Amino acid sequence: MSRNRFERIMLRLKVLSPLHVGTQQGELTGLEFIGEKNRLYVVDENKLAFFLAQNQLVEKFVEYVRNTDWPNLRIFMERSCKVPLDKIGPRIASYVVDCPNAMKVRNFRPMIRD
């Protein structure tokens, strides 16, 4: 009896309907991306933490998240940060997606990336 419970087999599949290849995390929350003009910046948590610390915003951010039903990073930055939004996105992003009307995006489902 083999101790290996998995068997590798080769398959060829034909997709008959639209297919979404997404990530395990599914839809991102309003704290995980920020839209600015025609770009959507997907947040890198470490970069965001560094940015908040550098601008003395950590406590204010934590308070905002705790006391807001639907926290949104863009709204927090507009209200609390002196740095213009177009300068924030590139500093906190893990990657950028070109997106017309990115400021109006409410739901974002990232695709699997290389």
Side-chain angles (χ1 to χ4, degrees):
M1 181 177 196
S2 172
R3 292 182 157 265
N4 187 358
R5 288 199 241 164
F6 300 102
E7 179 182 349
R8 183 177 291 201
I9 59 174
M10 295 288 287
L11 295 173
R12 180 174 288 189
L13 302 174
K14 182 177 181 180
V15 179
L16 301 175
S17 64
L19 175 68
H20 170 79
V21 180
T23 66
Q24 287 181 323
Q25 64 196 138
E27 188 172 285
L28 298 182
T29 71
L31 293 174
E32 297 173 295
F33 68 91
I34 188 168
E36 175 58 27
K37 297 181 183 165
N38 292 323
R39 292 182 172 244
L40 198 70
Y41 299 94
V42 179
V43 172
D44 176 296
E45 291 173 2
N46 291 325
K47 289 180 182 180
L48 175 61
F50 181 76
F51 179 86
L52 293 172
Q54 192 176 39
N55 290 278
Q56 290 85 41
L57 292 170
V58 174
E59 288 181 31
K60 201 176 226 183
F61 182 71
V62 170
E63 182 180 329
Y64 170 75
V65 171
R66 281 186 182 156
N67 297 318
T68 306
D69 289 334
W70 301 102
N72 181 289
L73 187 57
R74 178 183 178 76
I75 292 170
F76 172 78
M77 292 297 187
E78 286 176 334
R79 292 178 182 170
S80 305
C81 188
K82 295 176 183 170
V83 178
L85 279 174
D86 63 336
K87 305 290 186 218
I88 296 171
R91 292 172 61 183
I92 64 171
S94 60
Y95 63 93
V96 181
V97 177
D98 290 328
C99 176
N101 298 315
M103 294 178 355
K104 295 180 181 179
V105 172
R106 299 288 173 251
N107 302 317
F108 181 66
R109 290 179 173 263
M111 303 295 270
I112 293 176
R113 301 182 55 82
D114 294 339

